[in-house]
Amino acid sequence: MSTHLRTPRRLAALAIGLAALLAAPAGPALAAPQVGAAPAIQDVAAAPVVANPGNQVSLQWDSAYLQMTATGGVKPYTWSASNLHLGTSINASTGLISGVLRGSGTRTVTVTARDATGASAPVTFTWRVIRDACPRC
């Protein structure tokens, strides 16, 4: 090694350069794993929330059109319903409950929306169908 590399000025410059290199943040490929470090937080969408349409009251033999809505989660949603009145059904793609209400009485209906990740949310409401005293008047 020549003597001009060992001068105090050159050694000081090398030391400063080495310190700057060691202090620089490493990229993700060069970063050393840290023991006991918290895992990275992933961006996870919240589960869907189905809006409660409130309790429903209808007359027997009337047409039903009840659009269910949801927020959150990852679209598209898949809709299902249990305990609907005879003559009605829910569209699995749109969440529209429709049909002709053929029975009477009060039912507790549960509607569930499942998002694209499989997260689901139910909502429950009552639906009362009243027998019309004069259906052909």
Side-chain angles (χ1 to χ4, degrees):
M1 189 184 280
S2 67
T3 58
H4 73 277
L5 290 178
R6 286 189 249 159
T7 63
R9 278 180 94 182
R10 294 210 185 255
L11 289 175
L14 285 172
I16 291 172
L18 182 59
L21 180 65
L22 292 175
L30 300 175
Q34 297 178 1
V35 177
I41 298 174
Q42 297 179 357
D43 186 20
V44 177
V49 176
V50 179
N52 191 326
N55 295 333
Q56 303 293 307
V57 178
S58 303
L59 293 176
Q60 185 179 17
W61 303 111
D62 278 354
S63 295
Y65 296 98
L66 180 60
Q67 179 64 60
M68 301 301 296
T69 60
T71 58
V74 178
K75 293 181 181 178
Y77 304 121
T78 303
W79 295 91
S80 62
S82 62
N83 208 25
L84 287 172
H85 280 280
L86 184 64
T88 60
S89 62
I90 189 166
N91 183 307
S93 299
T94 65
L96 176 66
I97 298 173
S98 61
V100 176
L101 297 159
R102 292 192 279 165
S104 62
T106 302
R107 294 186 176 227
T108 301
V109 177
T110 301
V111 175
T112 303
R114 182 173 307 276
D115 75 358
T117 67
S120 64
V123 67
T124 301
F125 58 94
T126 60
W127 197 333
R128 181 176 177 210
V129 175
I130 302 169
R131 183 186 310 249
D132 190 0
C134 185
R136 302 199 191 277
C137 294

